[in-house]
Amino acid sequence: MTIAPLGAVRARVGESACWSAREQRLYSVDIWSDRLWRHDVDTGEATSFDMPEMASAVVVATDGVVVALESHLLAGRPGWDDWRRIDAPQDHPAEHRFNDACVDPAGRLVVSTMRNSRFGAAPEGRLLRLDPDGWTCLAEGFWTLNGLAFSPDGATLYWSDSHPSVQTIWRCAYDGGALGPATEFARMDALAGRPDGGAVDAEGGYWSAGVGGGELYRFAPDGRLDRTIALPVENPTRPAFGGAALDRLFVTSMRERLTRPDPDDLAGAVLVLDPGVAGAPVTPMIAP
């Protein structure tokens, strides 16, 4: 299998790969560099946009993108300098930041929060949804909530907790926005990598970036690990399907917190590979 870097970008903490079908471009963020990236997947060239705070996640909207920062969200069209602020919930602590994000079948943002690492870890993270009339808390008590993704039919929501003491992926029914009981889908404490960002393919397989382990995992719909792909980076962070037929898989990575050599200077790159299966289409967010 050929695994190649997409262009010359080497992010400190690359995250949140997401595909814009309208633009036929890939977006990602560099959390510790306060930066949003837009990648041309044909040429490998990328354009960066400075953010006012750490940019932890980006989702595609019906017109542009929505970027999750530390204290608020920004909605707009990159390059137009017309960003619009969306405030966090009133009870969003100053020591917390947004983390992972996805969009539900109705076009609503589903996003996690976590205690900012510079204030020390604690199981205080929440799972939130941005509804037309404000914020709804769906669940809470997480260390590092990641892996947000919906099944192809939109009826199941997946998430994970990356903390070394947890390393678990859950799923629950998502009926019109109402969450069913969360059930354990897979544990990764016996694998090389901890669960970070996730994506779902058209067959219902769940892909998880094994951060710290240099591997990408695919779990069958029944939770069985059926594929492991070794990556040339130690810290992959999030997979996303893209390309005109959603048949290419893009994986963000980071060049911080390395414990082994990086002889090919690939840490922090967006990697591209052919997974042999197409991705499930992702609903654009309807920004309020």
Side-chain angles (χ1 to χ4, degrees):
M1 173 183 291
T2 300
I3 303 174
L6 176 64
V9 171
R10 300 293 184 268
R12 292 185 64 192
V13 183
E15 257 290 4
S16 196
C18 71
W19 177 253
S20 171
R22 180 176 60 84
E23 297 182 46
Q24 292 292 294
R25 296 288 187 271
L26 184 80
Y27 283 91
S28 70
V29 297
D30 186 343
I31 298 179
W32 286 6
S33 296
D34 306 349
R35 186 168 295 165
L36 170 71
W37 286 98
R38 181 174 61 203
H39 307 264
D40 185 320
V41 299
D42 295 322
T43 66
E45 296 180 357
T47 304
S48 68
F49 305 91
D50 292 334
M51 295 284 107
E53 299 176 347
M54 286 197 300
S56 64
V58 55
V59 300
V60 173
T62 50
D63 185 18
V65 298
V66 173
V67 184
L69 305 175
E70 294 176 76
S71 64
H72 61 283
L73 314 177
L74 288 179
R77 299 180 66 177
W80 282 38
D81 295 325
D82 61 348
W83 294 104
R84 181 168 57 86
R85 179 182 175 116
I86 301 173
D87 288 330
Q90 290 186 351
D91 60 352
H92 181 74
E95 299 83 8
H96 287 204
R97 67 172 176 86
F98 289 103
N99 191 39
D100 197 25
C102 69
V103 181
D104 81 358
R108 296 171 295 188
L109 180 73
V110 177
V111 62
S112 66
T113 68
M114 62 177 286
R115 187 175 174 88
N116 201 316
S117 59
R118 66 177 179 266
F119 296 109
E124 300 173 350
R126 298 192 295 173
L127 180 64
L128 306 173
R129 187 179 62 232
L130 181 58
D131 295 312
D133 58 351
W135 291 94
T136 299
C137 181
L138 302 175
E140 56 189 339
F142 302 96
W143 290 87
T144 312
L145 200 163
N146 271 309
L148 291 168
F150 281 92
S151 60
D153 63 2
T156 301
L157 173 63
Y158 295 89
W159 72 71
S160 65
D161 194 320
S162 305
H163 193 270
S165 67
V166 186
Q167 301 195 56
T168 301
I169 304 169
W170 293 271
R171 65 179 172 187
C172 65
Y174 191 87
D175 184 5
L179 287 186
T183 59
E184 185 177 299
F185 177 66
R187 292 191 61 86
M188 287 177 55
D189 46 353
L191 301 175
R194 294 178 288 112
D196 203 332
V200 173
D201 63 39
E203 298 175 357
Y206 179 86
W207 295 73
S208 179
V211 66
E215 293 180 334
L216 181 65
Y217 305 111
R218 182 188 188 269
F219 296 90
D222 62 3
R224 173 177 46 88
L225 177 64
D226 69 357
R227 193 171 179 187
T228 299
I229 299 174
L231 299 174
V233 295
E234 181 179 354
N235 291 315
T237 56
R238 183 170 180 175
F241 289 91
L246 297 181
D247 57 354
R248 303 173 75 185
L249 193 59
F250 301 92
V251 184
T252 48
S253 68
M254 64 181 184
R255 56 184 170 88
E256 298 286 343
R257 298 175 178 170
L258 300 182
T259 65
R260 64 194 193 203
D262 177 34
D264 298 318
D265 188 33
L266 292 178
V270 177
L271 303 177
V272 189
L273 59 111
D274 178 1
V277 62
V282 176
T283 303
M285 178 185 170
I286 303 172

